[in-house]
Amino acid sequence: MSGLLVVTAVPAEAEAIRAGLTDATVTVTPVGVGPAIAGAATARLLALAEAAGRPYRAVVSAGVAGGFTGRVEVGDAVLGTASVAADLGAESPDGFIPIDELGMPPTLLGVGSALPADPGLLATLRAALPAAPTGPVLTVSTVTGTTTSTDELRRRHPEAVAEAMEGYGVAVAAAQAGLPFAELRTISNPIGPRDRDAWRLREALTALTAAAPALR
């Protein structure tokens, strides 16, 4: 049996995590940006490992993210209590309708648009990162970039701490394989009006390296 599979979106995130790891049983793999490619690539990695007789024990989606001001700070490591498909649903004159309320379950597993982190895996990560804020991490296909959309997300997800683009897809792949899942993010920018000059990617990647030992 293999150890932990850590999935990132881009190589820079994977390199930052590897820089802080000493555990050879942890596999860190960049798979691409967005929930569709992340879910498909993770499912393939899990299937190949199982076919080779070396199945993984658990899956973590990791990388940088935007954070909700007032809940987290730039440079924080955060742990997702759930990965939420925040823009999966329908628009209506009365506002956004989540997929759960449309009578269309988003996966054949019958799970909804929010997949909780595995309690045991989350507890292990929290013990290693006791200062890390916790809460739902939103998965979006379009990065939030206006005050209006930020306020709408806050209203719909009052406990959310961050948004990224892969967690829900990776979580679905892990659930299909029957494996524990968790999400670890470090904050590079506040969610709100798009301002690339305000992003602190270097600080977030450094924080990812510092958090990597929790993945042992």
Side-chain angles (χ1 to χ4, degrees):
M1 178 174 286
S2 299
L4 178 69
L5 174 63
V6 179
V7 177
T8 73
V10 299
E13 294 167 324
E15 291 165 8
I17 292 171
R18 292 186 191 116
L21 279 177
T22 58
D23 189 340
T25 69
V26 178
T27 300
V28 186
T29 304
V31 295
V33 176
I37 191 169
T42 300
R44 181 175 184 274
L45 290 170
L46 295 177
L48 288 174
E50 185 172 0
R54 298 187 299 275
Y56 289 102
R57 293 184 291 108
V59 183
V60 171
S61 177
V64 303
F68 284 100
T69 303
R71 300 175 190 167
V72 297
E73 302 290 337
V74 170
D76 279 352
V78 303
L79 296 170
T81 55
S83 296
V84 182
D87 54 10
L88 184 61
E91 291 184 332
S92 81
D94 298 320
F96 181 81
I97 305 173
I99 194 77
D100 310 66
E101 297 178 17
L102 294 173
M104 298 184 292
T107 77
L108 296 179
L109 296 174
V111 298
S113 58
L115 284 172
D118 177 78
L121 183 54
L122 180 59
T124 298
L125 292 172
R126 292 184 72 171
L129 297 168
T134 60
V137 176
L138 308 183
T139 299
V140 295
S141 295
T142 302
V143 173
T144 302
T146 68
T147 299
T148 299
S149 53
T150 302
D151 291 345
E152 174 64 11
L153 283 180
R154 283 182 177 274
R155 184 189 66 78
R156 285 168 38 212
H157 304 283
E159 303 301 320
V161 292
E163 74 166 20
M165 301 182 76
E166 295 79 33
Y168 183 79
V170 178
V172 169
Q176 293 276 6
L179 294 177
F181 167 82
E183 187 164 2
L184 166 66
R185 296 285 172 177
T186 57
I187 305 303
S188 62
N189 60 281
I191 298 170
R194 184 172 173 80
D195 179 9
R196 283 299 302 267
D197 291 337
W199 289 18
R200 299 291 179 263
L201 287 174
R202 182 174 297 179
E203 288 89 333
L205 292 172
T206 298
L208 206 52
T209 299
L215 299 169
R216 288 177 297 183

